[in-house]
Amino acid sequence: MARRADSEVEPGEGTPPAPRAPRARPARSGTLLVVESPAKAKTLKRLLGSGVDVRATVGHLKDLPAAILGVDVERGFEPRYDLVKGQARVLSELKRAARTAERVLIATDPDREGEAIAWHLAEELGAPGGDARIRRVLLDELTPEAVRAAVERPRDLDRHRFEAQQARRILDRLVGFQVSPILWRAVRRGLSAGRVQSVAVRLVVERERAIEAFRPSVAHAVEAELVDEEGRPLLARLAPAGGRAAAEALRRAVEGRAFTVRSVERTDVARPAPPPFTTATLQQEASRRLGFAPRRTMALAQRLYEGVELGEEGLLGLVTYLRTDSVRLAAGAVEAARRHVERVFGADHLPASPNQFSARGRGVQGAHEALRPTSMEWPPERVRPLLEAAHERDLGRLYELVWSRFVASQMAPAVYRRAAVELAAGDATFRAEGASLAFDGWLAAWGKKPPEQAAGEEPPPGGASAWPAGAPLPPLEPGQPLRLVEARLLERPARPPPRFDEASLVRELEERGLGRPSTFAAILDTVQEKGYVERHEKALRPTELGRRVTEELARRFPRELDAAFTAALEAKLDAVEEGTADWRLVLAEFHGPFREAVARAEAEAREAGRRPIEAGIACDTCGRPLAVRWGRNGEFLSCTGYPACRTTMGFRREGGVIVPERADEVQPGESCPACAAPMILRRGRFGRFLSCSRYPACDGRRDVTIGVACPLGCGGQVAEKRSRQGKTFYGCSTWPGCDFVSWDRPRAGPCPDCGGAWLVERVSKRDGPVIACPDRACGYRRAASAPPPAPA
């Protein structure tokens, strides 16, 4: 009802109410600091005190919608962002706190993803451009001095960095939403493709194909075991042309001949210190030295960055920001490291000037520092007891790795004394090489005998020849005679390329410029969770599904699945961040050819349907070939005559051969534990199992055993099981009464070396299938094809 004018008011009705006074704006005071993580917020509250209100976004506030593309391609790739489910209350509280704050500082992580969170929050709070109170803060380390300095010097939000992250997100959405449905038609529903993820699977598949294509060969050489006048040993070798026959003829020719030193070459080779850690090299070294998967490494490093409890000191960030590809170090950190080196290791371990490093690869973000300790006041020996008391031993181990690498990076080179000797035996010239450590240098901090060379380091001298170098050589002079003890024939089989493990795949991705430091762990997790790659021991092997998906994508999208093309696209995203490229033009340049490839692939997929992979086995029902297909419970065999013939069955692979496991086939000698009826083999979500043939009248069931008694002697049998993540493992059939469990397939029979009750079947990256002792302290192993040793 419209309000009447004053002149229209009837007597007795009173006067209209006075106009409502404008609501007073609340007085603003104090600072609101916003981060992503509640753990990070807790650390900052302690460092900044009660004068700063610290709150957390608890991750992303906005993202592309989950169920639709969410990108308007025709309007310049305009994205549609929705509030992330469950974040409405968080955003409401942040808005309420921002209304009364004199300034709002957004201190999300100092990378592209953190910048995107900051940008979306600023938009919701009225910036960028609309509220001068809202500024950006970068926190590379959570220490009192660094935090106060960053809060006192905020900056504007970085549009270019946000646009680089937005372009990456849109690229990934375009590929995932438009390529995945093609895989559904060609292979099976539920599969996914990713712009970098699919290239990573292709690398694993191509490495496996190279291993399968490898043809064994053997190199032959003659090794001469010699001694000098004082009985000191020396090994010398010669690999003649002509193979085994020539080597055997040489061995016979040198027997009984005198050996004389022809020449001696001695050199000192300096091995420079390695650079401090980047995200990728941390993941690689943590995998090699500590056995941590990349995701675990990143989770522990995140906690070390955000803050750990250190007794009376409270929460303190122990390392700098963990997502970095830079090897740059702040001048103050370098000076602190040099003082530590001189005090702990001595002046001879300190180089005359600080070590400088140049990062490998393209698009390195030099604004960040390398990963390092935040303070030299917290050495590992001081931190370790505090963390172990809190049952956080792995945190201490990773911190010690970061500390050691940082200290080592500012130390003098290690020096190897290398000797190369030529020996004359008639007309033949043998060669002996050896190297000894003359000065440990940076190895004093990093470890003199690392299990493998550190990522990015050169191999030690003397070990790069075709035949490995022996022990350090005795002092020799030209013309010196040597006595031959034995001449023997050596055979060295050529080895196929090694399979990737998680560390080497991360290194491959980094060196090829694929992905960003923050994405490597997620890529490795995704390809394993999707069932495209499996981890055997430490080696990564493609599954049949991974091979099929790679084959389909490589055939239909050769450009998008090319590693060089993907790396070039990453370089363009780096250019967007640097402000030298427009994000919409980068997307348009990618999307034109990509859209054409999608249209061709969709037409082909509609016409061809799902191409079966024939198993070489005839259907029991109709005689047509059976084919390998994939369902929600994994692989199975299905008749190619479907839907006319609906025969299906499970199968297993033995030595690469498909062995069918026919459904509802009665298993000889197996009876139901509930009613004693015959048992049949079935397959479910957690793998194969035996079920009562009277089901559903009787629901008796038990695990499939492998014919090996439980090694713990409980009377049960070892059964094959599958985890929730789809990985096969072995446990006792009497579980939970017996808790025996093993990732490796147990094998009956005691260990010949230590007498242990059982052995396991493993796949070694170096030696292939082996039979080994589960007690790694024992070390027994033999090739799976080799016969067991005869009893003594």
Side-chain angles (χ1 to χ4, degrees):
M1 178 177 177
R3 181 182 294 166
R4 294 176 293 178
D6 289 353
S7 58
E8 297 175 342
V9 176
E10 298 294 335
E13 288 189 1
T15 58
R20 180 178 296 174
R23 179 179 295 174
R25 177 177 296 177
R28 290 173 173 168
S29 63
T31 297
L32 171 64
L33 183 70
V34 183
V35 296
E36 297 120 310
S37 161
K40 188 175 176 181
K42 186 177 179 181
T43 301
L44 289 170
K45 285 178 182 177
R46 189 190 70 82
L47 296 178
L48 293 171
S50 58
V52 178
D53 183 10
V54 184
R55 298 180 182 244
T57 66
V58 198
H60 283 270
L61 293 169
K62 296 196 294 185
D63 197 5
L64 298 175
I68 61 174
L69 180 64
V71 179
D72 193 334
V73 175
E74 304 305 323
R75 293 182 56 197
F77 302 95
E78 191 66 31
R80 166 189 152 184
Y81 290 108
D82 290 347
L83 197 63
V84 173
K85 185 177 179 180
Q87 290 289 63
R89 179 178 177 182
V90 173
L91 181 59
S92 176
E93 291 175 352
L94 290 174
K95 285 181 175 179
R96 189 180 306 113
R99 282 197 293 268
T100 61
E102 187 174 356
R103 60 176 186 162
V104 178
L105 304 180
I106 305 179
T108 47
D109 286 349
D111 57 11
R112 291 179 186 171
E113 196 164 1
E115 199 71 32
I117 297 174
W119 194 273
H120 290 149
L121 175 59
E123 285 180 332
E124 292 293 328
L125 298 182
D131 193 335
R133 298 176 304 141
I134 300 175
R135 306 293 301 281
R136 181 82 165 100
V137 168
L138 299 182
L139 297 176
D140 290 314
E141 58 182 86
L142 302 189
T143 57
E145 300 79 8
V147 170
R148 293 191 191 99
V151 168
E152 291 171 2
R153 292 192 295 273
R155 63 165 180 83
D156 294 332
L157 277 76
D158 190 332
R159 173 179 287 277
H160 297 313
R161 181 175 285 183
F162 163 69
E163 289 176 346
Q165 174 63 20
Q166 180 169 260
R168 171 186 289 279
R169 187 75 181 92
I170 293 173
L171 277 172
D172 292 343
R173 176 55 64 95
L174 291 172
V175 172
F177 264 62
Q178 297 183 54
V179 175
S180 297
I182 296 171
L183 288 177
W184 300 356
R185 294 191 185 100
V187 185
R188 73 167 172 87
R189 292 190 62 83
L191 299 180
S192 69
R195 189 176 56 85
V196 181
Q197 159 201 319
S198 297
V199 178
V201 176
R202 183 177 187 176
L203 294 177
V204 178
V205 170
E206 289 179 345
R207 178 63 61 87
E208 193 70 20
R209 287 174 179 163
I211 294 171
E212 292 168 351
F214 173 78
R215 294 295 174 262
S217 62
V218 178
H220 294 87
V222 175
E223 180 178 71
E225 182 181 346
L226 306 161
V227 292
D228 64 6
E229 296 93 331
E230 299 183 13
R232 289 174 294 197
L234 168 69
L235 294 177
R237 298 185 182 97
L238 174 59
R244 181 184 181 90
E248 179 60 27
L250 174 65
R251 186 191 68 80
R252 289 195 301 265
V254 300
E255 283 184 337
R257 283 191 176 272
F259 278 70
T260 305
V261 177
R262 177 176 291 173
S263 65
V264 179
E265 179 187 351
R266 294 186 180 91
T267 55
D268 284 349
V269 181
R271 188 179 177 198
F277 278 137
T278 62
T279 304
T281 54
L282 174 69
Q283 292 175 11
Q284 294 165 47
E285 241 7 87
S287 175
R288 290 193 183 105
R289 292 193 166 215
L290 307 179
F292 293 167
R295 178 170 288 280
R296 175 143 184 80
T297 298
M298 294 299 286
L300 293 172
Q302 184 77 29
R303 292 179 60 193
L304 290 172
Y305 163 70
E306 291 181 343
V308 295
E309 196 74 37
L310 295 176
E312 296 179 356
E313 294 289 331
L315 284 167
L316 189 66
L318 286 176
V319 302
T320 55
Y321 188 57
L322 61 151
R323 295 179 180 89
T324 177
D325 50 11
S326 171
V327 290
R328 183 184 67 83
L329 293 170
V334 171
E335 285 305 311
R338 286 174 61 83
R339 289 194 296 270
H340 175 83
V341 169
E342 186 172 17
R343 183 178 70 255
V344 174
F345 299 100
D348 58 338
H349 284 71
L350 188 68
S353 59
N355 292 333
Q356 302 290 334
F357 304 95
S358 57
R360 299 178 301 176
R362 294 168 292 184
V364 173
Q365 309 301 301
H368 290 313
E369 277 193 78
L371 184 64
R372 62 167 177 83
T374 56
S375 172
M376 301 305 290
E377 296 180 2
W378 288 95
E381 56 269 20
R382 184 181 176 192
V383 171
R384 191 184 305 114
L386 299 173
L387 294 179
E388 289 182 352
H391 306 289
E392 298 284 6
R393 181 171 177 266
D394 284 351
L395 271 179
R397 295 173 69 200
L398 188 66
Y399 177 67
E400 186 167 359
L401 194 70
V402 174
W403 174 282
S404 300
R405 183 61 168 249
F406 170 61
V407 172
S409 73
Q410 292 304 313
M411 295 178 69
V415 178
Y416 285 87
R417 188 146 296 149
R418 184 175 181 274
V421 179
E422 287 189 350
L423 305 166
D427 295 332
T429 301
F430 282 68
R431 185 174 178 85
E433 294 182 356
S436 59
L437 186 63
F439 176 66
D440 56 3
W442 59 272
L443 292 174
W446 183 239
K448 296 178 183 177
K449 293 183 179 179
E452 293 187 33
Q453 67 188 64
E457 296 172 19
E458 294 299 321
S465 60
W467 297 85
L473 303 182
L476 299 172
E477 297 298 334
Q480 182 176 344
L482 298 170
R483 181 172 63 86
L484 176 66
V485 177
E486 182 185 6
R488 47 184 172 260
L489 188 68
L490 293 182
E491 293 185 351
R492 183 174 185 181
R495 292 176 179 173
R499 289 187 174 91
F500 287 113
D501 58 15
E502 291 183 325
S504 60
L505 184 56
V506 165
R507 180 168 184 170
E508 188 79 6
L509 294 172
E510 179 196 26
E511 291 183 342
R512 288 176 177 251
L514 303 172
R516 300 294 304 161
S518 58
T519 65
F520 294 149
I523 289 170
L524 266 64
D525 275 359
T526 300
V527 299
Q528 293 178 71
E529 288 170 1
K530 294 295 182 182
Y532 301 152
V533 172
E534 290 180 336
R535 184 179 176 185
H536 292 263
E537 283 270 293
K538 291 186 177 181
L540 299 177
R541 307 174 82 177
T543 62
E544 289 301 315
L545 180 61
R547 289 174 184 262
R548 177 68 183 276
V549 167
T550 298
E551 175 190 340
E552 296 289 342
L553 293 179
R555 186 164 56 85
R556 292 183 165 99
F557 299 96
R559 184 185 78 134
E560 289 74 13
L561 211 66
D562 181 68
F565 172 79
T566 304
L569 194 54
E570 292 291 332
K572 292 177 181 178
L573 293 175
D574 293 334
V576 171
E577 181 170 354
E578 294 161 3
T580 58
D582 182 88
W583 69 277
R584 296 181 192 270
L585 293 179
V586 169
L587 291 174
E589 183 180 339
F590 167 82
H591 191 256
F594 174 68
R595 178 163 51 186
E596 296 175 2
V598 168
R600 289 193 301 269
E602 285 179 335
E604 180 185 343
R606 281 195 298 270
E607 182 177 346
R610 295 177 182 170
R611 294 188 301 112
I613 300 178
E614 293 189 5
I617 301 170
C619 175
D620 295 339
T621 305
C622 68
R624 294 187 181 96
L626 294 177
V628 178
R629 301 187 188 276
W630 290 271
R632 64 180 181 178
N633 294 327
E635 296 176 304
F636 65 97
L637 295 178
S638 171
C639 183
T640 53
Y642 178 88
C645 178
R646 296 177 175 268
T647 298
T648 63
M649 65 185 72
F651 71 92
R652 65 184 184 275
R653 285 188 171 87
E654 294 182 357
V657 177
I658 291 176
V659 179
E661 296 173 340
R662 290 168 172 81
D664 300 339
E665 187 173 280
V666 174
Q667 301 298 298
E670 300 287 354
S671 57
C672 175
C675 70
M679 302 286 279
I680 59 177
L681 185 69
R682 287 186 174 147
R683 182 180 293 269
R685 179 183 174 191
F686 297 112
R688 302 181 302 158
F689 65 98
L690 295 176
S691 172
C692 182
S693 56
R694 295 180 55 242
Y695 180 85
C698 174
D699 61 357
R701 57 175 293 172
R702 64 180 179 79
D703 297 320
V704 176
T705 57
I706 65 172
V708 176
C710 176
L712 299 186
C714 69
Q717 293 284 311
V718 175
E720 180 184 294
K721 300 172 182 284
R722 185 184 293 184
S723 71
R724 293 185 181 276
Q725 291 72 37
K727 296 182 179 180
T728 300
F729 69 98
Y730 302 89
C732 185
S733 59
T734 65
W735 186 89
C738 176
D739 60 359
F740 169 78
V741 68
S742 171
W743 286 112
D744 301 314
R745 184 183 179 94
R747 187 182 180 98
C751 174
D753 285 1
C754 70
W758 56 299
L759 297 169
V760 294
E761 299 176 12
R762 288 188 180 136
V763 178
S764 165
K765 187 169 67 171
R766 184 185 66 187
D767 302 323
V770 298
I771 309 300
C773 180
D775 183 356
R776 295 186 183 272
C778 169
Y780 169 77
R781 70 157 61 188
R782 71 172 191 271
S785 58

